[in-house]
Every structure is written in structure tokens, then in C-alpha cells.
């Protein structure tokens, strides 16, 4: 809807095309609009869509737990993305890939990683971390003795000390590989990162 108003009150030099103008009351004006589909007197509440908080999803050998449900608010048409956290892995897997986002049906979930998520993954040789995993927490790769390659999708903001305890030599690949290698080596003195 568009309303255009031109006021020439007390300024006769501004001429208005009389054919396009309508004389309005001089003291007050009240305009009412009817908008179909939205009840402005109603309070709309965000409803959970997709998976509820606490539910788990398994994709590419990785287990994710919903920490924040995706929501939709009727009336405002507002949609929020949910959040999931890496909580486990397939113990038989040799390669694991942590996604940037997880899609279940029409709903999307941003991915984060939990401390200790891959602890004891003794058969894993390669792990890929998505762009949303910006930190490596306590014990995340402890005793991943066969881990040889770590591909990281973003420059890490933090790495917890000794989070790779039990690993020997790990090749670091992906985004900002040099900076990530330096940070990993600083926090994990007993592991060789190349």
C-alpha cells in the first residue's frame, strides 16, 4: 500500500496539479487500512518445526544432537535456523565429515562441535570439519592414534591444550592451513602437524 501526501499549506509557491488532488478536512484526518491475513491484535508465538531439542541425527558417520530447535512464527513469517552439536561417531568409520549445516526435511541446522566429540576414534584416519566449527575443545581428538589428515573449513579461533593427545603426525589441510597448523602445534606439543 502506498499513500502519498503533499502539503502546500502556507506555501503557495508549490503548485499541485488540481486534477490529481483531493481536498481534505483542514482540522484532522483519519485513515484506516484493512490488511488481510495478519491479526495485529494477536500475539504470535514461535513454534518448533522439524526436530525438537535433544533429538539426534546421524549423517556420514557423525552423530549430531539438536541443541536449538528450528522455529517458525506464523503471522510474521519469521523462520529461525536450528543448531546441532557433534556428539559422537560411527566407531567403525575410517573417515568422518562434519557438515557446515545439516538439513532434515525443509529445516536447516547450523553445526558446532562438542568437547571430546571424537575421543577414542581409534580407526579414524581422516576428519573434515565444516565451516561452522571454529574451535577444537577439550579431548576432541584424544587417542585418535590413526588420525593422519585433518581438513578444516575455517580459520580456527581456539584450540584447547592437549586436544590431540595420543595422536602422532597429522597433516592439516583446508582453509587457513598454515595458521591452523601453527595454533594446533602451539596447543599440542607432543603431536607433529605438517
Amino acid at each position: 500500500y502506498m499513500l502519498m501526501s503533499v502539503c502546500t499549506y502556507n506555501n503557495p509557491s508549490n503548485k499541485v496539479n488540481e486534477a490529481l488532488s483531493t481536498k481534505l478536512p483542514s482540522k484532522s484526518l483519519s485513515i484506516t487500512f484493512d490488511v488481510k491475513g495478519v491479526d495485529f491484535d494477536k500475539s504470535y508465538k514461535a513454534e518448533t518445526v522439524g526436530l525438537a531439542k535433544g533429538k539426534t541425527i546421524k549423517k556420514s558417520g557423525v552423530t549430531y544432537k539438536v541443541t536449538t530447535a528450528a522455529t517458525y512464527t506464523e503471522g510474521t513469517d519469521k523462520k529461525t535456523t536450528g543448531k546441532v552439536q557433534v556428539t559422537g561417531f560411527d566407531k567403525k568409520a575410517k573417515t568422518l565429515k562434519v557438515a557446515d549445516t545439516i538439513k532434515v526435511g525443509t529445516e536447516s541446522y547450523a553445526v558446532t562441535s562438542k568437547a571430546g566429540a571424537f575421543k577414542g576414534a581409534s580407526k579414524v584416519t581422516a576428519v573434515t570439519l565444516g565451516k561452522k566449527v571454529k574451535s577444537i575443545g577439550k579431548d576432541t581428538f584424544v587417542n585418535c592414534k590413526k588420525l593422519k589428515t585433518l581438513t578444516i573449513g575455517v580459520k580456527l579461533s581456539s584450540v584447547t591444550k592437549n586436544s590431540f593427545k595420543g595422536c602422532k603426525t597429522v597433516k592439516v589441510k583446508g582453509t587457513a592451513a598454515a595458521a591452523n597448523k601453527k595454533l594446533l602445534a602451539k596447543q599440542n606439543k607432543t603431536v607433529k602437524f605438517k
Side-chain angles (χ1 to χ4, degrees):
Y1 296 97
M2 187 171 116
L3 172 67
M4 183 174 149
S5 175
V6 178
C7 180
T8 60
Y9 179 75
N10 239 0
N11 191 357
S13 65
N14 287 342
K15 302 253 182 211
V16 176
N17 183 342
E18 294 293 326
L20 298 175
S21 67
T22 303
K23 294 214 180 220
L24 299 173
S26 60
K27 301 234 185 226
S28 67
L29 172 67
S30 175
I31 300 173
T32 304
F33 290 97
D34 259 351
V35 180
K36 304 282 186 202
V38 178
D39 182 354
F40 291 104
D41 294 328
K42 180 179 178 183
S43 175
Y44 291 98
K45 183 180 173 192
E47 300 288 333
T48 297
V49 290
L51 298 174
K53 183 177 177 178
K55 295 288 184 182
T56 58
I57 309 161
K58 290 184 181 184
K59 296 242 181 192
S60 304
V62 179
T63 304
Y64 303 89
K65 184 177 182 178
V66 177
T67 55
T68 305
T71 63
Y72 174 74
T73 307
E74 181 190 359
T76 62
D77 215 22
K78 183 180 177 187
K79 213 173 182 183
T80 63
T81 300
K83 291 182 184 174
V84 293
Q85 187 176 60
V86 176
T87 57
F89 57 93
D90 177 353
K91 296 195 188 304
K92 295 177 185 175
K94 291 186 178 180
T95 61
L96 298 172
K97 183 177 180 181
V98 176
D100 297 335
T101 57
I102 297 291
K103 193 157 183 156
V104 180
T106 59
E107 307 315 317
S108 295
Y109 299 85
V111 177
T112 61
S113 183
K114 179 184 173 191
F118 301 115
K119 184 177 181 178
S122 58
K123 295 186 180 185
V124 170
T125 60
V127 174
T128 300
L129 300 177
K131 294 175 185 172
K132 303 286 183 184
V133 179
K134 297 178 181 175
S135 64
I136 295 178
K138 183 180 177 185
D139 297 340
T140 298
F141 292 101
V142 166
N143 293 327
C144 294
K145 295 177 182 180
K146 292 185 180 178
L147 181 63
K148 300 287 180 220
T149 307
L150 179 64
T151 305
I152 306 169
V154 69
K155 183 178 178 186
L156 294 171
S157 58
S158 67
V159 175
T160 302
K161 193 173 183 179
N162 298 322
S163 50
F164 285 78
K165 188 176 180 180
C167 298
K168 293 179 175 52
T169 303
V170 179
K171 181 173 179 145
V172 179
K173 295 167 48 177
T175 304
N180 287 336
K181 193 184 320 176
K182 187 176 178 182
L183 181 58
L184 289 164
K186 180 182 175 187
Q187 295 297 80
N188 294 275
K189 305 271 188 211
T190 61
V191 182
K192 183 179 178 185
F193 293 95
K194 59 181 189 170

